Amino acid sequence: MSSTKPRDDRRAAWWFLLPVLVGFAVFYGYPAARGVWYSVTDYNMLNTASYVGTENYTKLFADAKFWNSMLVTAWYVVLNIGSQTLLALGVASLMHRLTRSVVLRATLLLPWLVPNVTIGLLWMWLLDTNLGFVNQLLHTFGLGPVGFFTDETWAMPTVAGINTWAYTGYTALLLYAGMLQIPQYLYEGAAIDGAGEWRMFRGITLPLLRPVLALVLVVSMIGSFQIFDTIAVTTKGGPVSATQVIYYFIYQQAFKYFHLGYAAAAAICLALILGVLTAIQMRMLRASRSDLA
Amino acid sequence: MTGKSLRPGRALAWVAMAVFVVVTVFPFWWMIRTALTPAADIYTDNAGLLPEHPTLINFTRVLGLTTEAEARAAGGSGAHINFAGYLWNSVVYCSLIAAVQTLFCAMAGYAFARLRFPGRDLVFAIVIAALMVPPIFTLLPNFIFVKDLGLMSTMAGMVAPTILMTPFAVFFLRQFFLSLPRDVEEAAILDGNGPWGIFWRIALPMSRGPLITIGLTTTVWAWKDYLWPLLVGRDEENRLVTVALGVFLQQSPNTQPDWTGLMAASTLSVLPVLVLLIFMGKRLVQSLNFTGSK
């Protein structure tokens, strides 16, 4: 502010930015434009793409499989986000009121570190109809066996449950980090007034955590819409099409049937949904920043 | 924390917490336990917490250390499996992406935060707009592009889309550089440093925390990557652990999957991140405080 003439780092700045701008242009900007172009062509990796107008979109909107995949994804998002957020909120509050142990937090983070493919395999084994640990356990209680991955009604809740197991610890730690920012004296004051744990949770934790909670919810939703690995390993969209989520639909259209134009059109529809969610997320990020200033 | 009336409540809370920890950890225990069980035992020995006849054969055979005949005798399909090689590929893939991406994104983040040049805010806004583009959308064109470049089944093709940047890393590191104190920078200018000197000698050393944070999270995400390496790294020579697990599963299509081998391979895929967690657990946990709420 006090310097005599404004500094201009123009030359240095472009060198600093060069790698990132190349990466952005080549692997984000250009492919995004290509994606839009493919969505209005009949490209299938063998022919040269030719313009077909809105044909892919009209076909897509008439495609029962596409709508089914949207519904299946929505069902997954509801199941997964619902259970994961509620559980994580519970775990985070417990931790907040009990301990600050780093070892405990690191333990809860473990499933998040593990590839989804490994998690898929692990649970396929645990939930195996004949030999799996869970069905053996059910057997000792005189229940089952349940075909967790092979039964049409069970498949989606199973996949949602697996990912809830995998991500609840991570989500809980995010919420816990938010709770640590709540001033301790509020709890001390409430305790003096004789408030119980439940009242403190409803009256202090929940309202003050709302911005963080909302942000975490949106971020997990963006992630949930993009479920792929777990399904690719375990159910492959089946049984019938009970777990045929939108990501798997796009993947199959592109790399199994080579309908690249069609897949690109479906990807744009998903991108629109995620774009709205991301815009909400960015606004929240900005909002939380101004709170701190 | 206050009075005796809370004691039973606290005990109950600890019990709930313990249950959650057991549910979190037990599947991993069962994975390792199965990996240590001889294949022939999985029909009979499935009650105890430890295997009746513990063995390392499942590990040696998925690491490619046994002959095919030995592997088949131990319950394998006889197909050649080399998880030692896949682990190495994954380590190379993660290290390359984490190191190079962090450096480049730090440079850009620094420029966006501290350097003055026309068009800065506009360029930053455009780069950040890429946060709105979901991976699946750029994945299809990137796949065709990498294929046209002749980079299929190469490490270069596998790291290409992420090694130079991710919008999030630029955003995250810029946030941090914005908060660097101005007087340190001005003192460095008086000492005759240019922008590169300030960045290298002052800004980077002062940002070790956030740099390690973003480097660690990038490593974890790269370790978990599946779809892109599945599409581009199809060959045995550059296959990553995650892709290899999927292939391994498909190698026993008609009969019961080779569970003991699969669990040994799964254990191997977890080991490196487990080591990371043991040595960097505190950092990783703290990194969530960074990325989560601010």
Side-chain angles (χ1 to χ4, degrees), chain A residues 9 112 118 125 136 165 268, chain B residues 23 34 46 116 137 224 269:
Chain A
D9 306 309
W112 173 75
T118 309
W125 167 229
Q136 307 238 2
W165 174 82
I268 286 187
Chain B
V23 172
T34 307
N46 41 33
R116 295 172 206 171
F137 190 55
K224 295 165 68 160
S269 80

Side-chain angles (χ1 to χ4, degrees), chain B:
Chain B
M1 46 198 310
T2 51
K4 290 162 205 150
S5 59
L6 272 174
R7 285 258 171 75
R10 272 181 87 79
L12 206 66
W14 273 113
V15 170
M17 197 73 222
V19 168
F20 190 78
V21 170
V22 168
V23 172
T24 301
V25 175
F26 180 78
F28 292 110
W29 178 262
W30 201 249
M31 169 179 82
I32 297 166
R33 189 246 190 241
T34 307
L36 296 170
T37 305
D41 280 13
I42 62 165
Y43 297 92
T44 52
D45 171 22
N46 41 33
L49 280 178
L50 291 168
E52 281 166 22
H53 314 101
T55 172
L56 287 176
I57 184 74
N58 299 309
F59 286 100
T60 49
R61 71 185 166 92
V62 298
L63 283 168
L65 299 173
T66 55
T67 63
E68 280 188 25
E70 283 173 315
R72 205 171 291 134
S77 67
H80 180 69
I81 299 161
N82 175 17
F83 267 88
Y86 311 140
L87 281 167
W88 174 246
N89 290 338
S90 281
V91 168
V92 171
Y93 176 81
C94 293
S95 319
L96 273 176
I97 290 178
V100 179
Q101 189 203 88
T102 304
L103 174 67
F104 286 165
C105 291
M107 281 162 56
Y110 181 75
F112 283 132
R114 308 309 297 228
L115 300 182
R116 295 172 206 171
F117 57 99
R120 181 178 74 176
D121 295 341
L122 178 69
V123 176
F124 179 65
I126 293 171
V127 169
I128 290 310
L131 276 173
M132 304 270 230
V133 182
I136 187 87
F137 190 55
T138 47
L139 184 119
L140 306 177
N142 271 338
F143 174 77
I144 295 156
F145 183 59
V146 164
K147 195 162 152 277
D148 289 346
L149 287 176
L151 291 177
M152 287 296 283
S153 303
T154 65
M155 190 51 87
M158 284 159 75
V159 300
T162 39
I163 196 166
L164 293 176
M165 71 156 314
T166 62
F168 177 75
V170 175
F171 173 78
F172 176 83
L173 290 170
R174 173 182 171 269
Q175 286 294 98
F176 183 77
F177 287 126
L178 279 175
S179 67
L180 281 185
R182 196 164 287 274
D183 43 349
V184 182
E185 197 181 10
E186 268 155 18
I189 295 174
L190 287 179
D191 285 346
N193 282 299
W196 183 254
I198 303 172
F199 172 71
W200 201 250
R201 287 195 208 105
I202 294 161
L204 277 192
M206 283 179 77
S207 321
R208 278 186 51 191
L211 287 170
I212 293 175
T213 295
I214 202 81
L216 271 178
T217 33
T218 308
T219 307
V220 171
W221 284 119
W223 190 262
K224 295 165 68 160
D225 267 352
Y226 179 63
L227 182 50
W228 179 257
L230 171 74
L231 295 172
V232 177
R234 282 178 177 279
D235 284 6
E236 173 85 24
E237 297 86 70
N238 49 44
R239 196 174 282 162
L240 300 190
V241 165
T242 47
V243 179
L245 282 173
V247 173
F248 189 5
L249 177 66
Q250 282 155 17
Q251 275 169 352
S252 47
N254 293 320
T255 54
Q256 184 76 245
D258 171 8
W259 286 121
T260 54
L262 279 166
M263 288 304 110
S266 300
T267 306
L268 290 173
S269 80
V270 177
L271 274 184
V273 279
L274 197 62
V275 171
L276 199 72
L277 188 67
I278 288 166
F279 287 103
M280 307 291 274
K282 203 165 178 185
R283 274 268 186 229
L284 267 167
V285 164
Q286 282 166 349
S287 76
L288 297 191
N289 300 12
F290 267 124
T291 47
S293 50
K294 281 174 195 165

Side-chain angles (χ1 to χ4, degrees), chain A residues 114-172:
Chain A
V114 175
N116 290 331
V117 178
T118 309
I119 287 172
L121 274 175
L122 174 53
W123 281 98
M124 267 178 94
W125 167 229
L126 284 166
L127 297 174
D128 185 77
T129 316
N130 303 312
L131 299 171
F133 178 83
V134 175
N135 268 315
Q136 307 238 2
L137 201 67
L138 289 177
H139 184 72
T140 58
F141 290 111
L143 298 166
V146 179
F148 286 101
F149 293 106
T150 47
D151 186 314
E152 240 181 287
T153 42
W154 274 105
M156 194 36 112
T158 300
V159 173
I162 292 172
N163 280 355
T164 296
W165 174 82
Y167 287 94
T168 296
Y170 174 72
T171 311

